[in-house]
Amino acid sequence: ADVTVRENGRETRVLFSGDVGRFDAVLAKDPEPAPEADYLVVESTYGNRTHPALSVLDQLEGVLKKTFARGGVLVIPAFAVGRAQQMVYLMDQLVTEGRLRAFPIHVDSPMAIDATRIYAAYPDASRASLNNIGGRSLLHGKWIHLHRTRAESEALNKMKGPAVIISSSGMLSGGRILHHCRQRLPHPENTLLITGYQAVGTLGRALLDGATSVRIHKGDVPVLAEVRDLKGLSGHADAGEMMRWLAGVRRPPRAVFVTHGEREAAEALASRIARERGFTAR
């Protein structure tokens, strides 16, 4: 957001970064460089970290092959807007490149289905066009099955692998994904693939931390399925990418206010801005 304040015949421009995206991200276009302003308010979610330079596609290929070799189902908790569509795109890429044979993908989230329709309607809004040969959106390919009703969701209970279920919420804090976890976690042939940040106190975080039993819908569920973490899909710029985003600012602002990050991350980014750019940063 860009705000211009006019008082006493003077103009003051204040820029709020909001959440700054990644460079070279899956689907999303690069963030526009920061414009010049009198004051900058910038986020610092990963202000003290660098995202690992791992191939997301290679990681996903490995997880899919291992799960399918066991005859299992890959269950993916994914944010309904953005992450669900990224996962479909990556899996389509693996099949298109001949790295995997085509397999069924079940999207079980009314919100993700609605968001997918919007992505498909504007294929050129993404970094890579989402249109297949013939103009059909790859997000609505013949191997992709959309489950909107509760009955359609429950029908997945009897499904055998190899197959993928994408459902929400992304942190397993509610929604249809809990129903799939209750069904799939007790079986060792299956895999749960975490694809995004898991806040402390969420079921997703407990599973990542190695819980052998979790409580879902007032019942104890043993965790015998494999739990994996897909690295490199974070939507937030890391410290280096924040500095790259700020490179467009030539004239020093009066001050940069670093916010939206844990204290250590915010302090680390503020000192880096001061050290590398010479800006007053708080």
Side-chain angles (χ1 to χ4, degrees):
D2 198 352
V3 179
T4 302
V5 182
R6 295 180 181 85
E7 56 182 0
N8 303 326
R10 290 180 58 195
E11 283 192 356
T12 303
R13 189 179 186 192
V14 184
L15 177 77
F16 295 84
S17 76
D19 291 346
V20 177
R22 304 282 312 276
F23 289 88
D24 305 314
V26 176
L27 283 189
K29 290 185 175 178
D30 285 351
E32 294 284 333
E36 292 183 349
D38 298 295
Y39 296 96
L40 301 177
V41 181
V42 302
E43 70 125 319
S44 60
T45 310
Y46 290 102
N48 57 347
R49 276 180 278 177
T50 301
H51 293 310
L54 299 169
S55 164
V56 175
L57 213 54
D58 289 350
Q59 292 176 72
L60 182 59
E61 179 186 13
V63 171
L64 284 163
K65 283 183 172 174
K66 195 173 175 189
T67 305
F68 291 172
R70 297 191 297 251
V73 173
L74 178 64
V75 180
I76 303 177
F79 306 118
V81 181
R83 190 57 42 81
Q85 294 74 30
Q86 286 176 323
M87 296 310 299
V88 172
Y89 172 77
L90 288 167
M91 288 185 278
D92 177 86
Q93 212 174 332
L94 287 171
V95 172
T96 301
E97 291 178 9
R99 293 163 70 166
L100 283 169
R101 292 178 62 181
F103 52 89
I105 301 167
H106 298 270
V107 180
D108 184 27
S109 159
M111 186 176 176
I113 291 169
D114 289 340
T116 299
R117 187 185 294 123
I118 295 168
Y119 271 83
Y122 300 94
D124 297 322
S126 303
R127 165 186 290 280
S129 176
L130 295 174
N131 274 343
N132 266 340
I133 296 164
R136 182 185 176 92
S137 172
L138 64 83
L139 297 177
H140 288 143
K142 69 175 182 178
W143 290 90
I144 298 162
H145 308 278
L146 307 179
H147 300 257
R148 189 178 284 279
T149 69
R150 186 170 178 171
E152 288 169 341
S153 176
E154 289 174 353
L156 292 171
N157 292 351
K158 300 187 180 86
M159 182 185 69
K160 304 284 186 196
V164 172
I165 297 172
I166 300 174
S167 191
S168 56
S169 74
M171 292 190 198
L172 298 98
S173 52
R176 291 184 180 180
I177 190 65
L178 296 180
H179 156 81
H180 296 299
C181 284
R182 201 176 64 194
Q183 293 291 325
R184 303 289 173 177
L185 286 178
H187 303 285
E189 69 272 19
N190 300 324
T191 304
L192 181 79
L193 181 63
I194 302 289
T195 63
Y197 179 74
Q198 305 296 307
V200 175
T202 60
L203 176 60
R205 183 63 168 265
L207 286 163
L208 269 186
D209 289 344
T212 54
S213 176
V214 290
R215 197 155 180 82
I216 300 174
H217 297 155
K218 299 181 181 175
D220 291 325
V221 178
V223 181
L224 296 175
E226 186 177 5
V227 178
R228 295 287 296 274
D229 183 15
L230 189 67
K231 300 188 188 317
L233 271 183
S234 171
H236 285 274
D238 65 16
E241 288 168 323
M242 287 301 299
M243 297 307 296
R244 180 175 169 184
W245 179 73
L246 284 168
V249 180
R250 297 277 175 232
R251 178 173 56 85
R254 292 185 212 167
V256 179
F257 298 99
V258 181
T259 181
H260 196 289
E262 292 174 11
R263 187 177 186 88
E264 285 181 7
E267 287 176 349
L269 186 62
S271 17
R272 185 166 175 181
I273 291 169
R275 184 175 70 251
E276 294 183 18
R277 298 302 310 276
F279 298 164
T280 300
R282 297 174 187 159

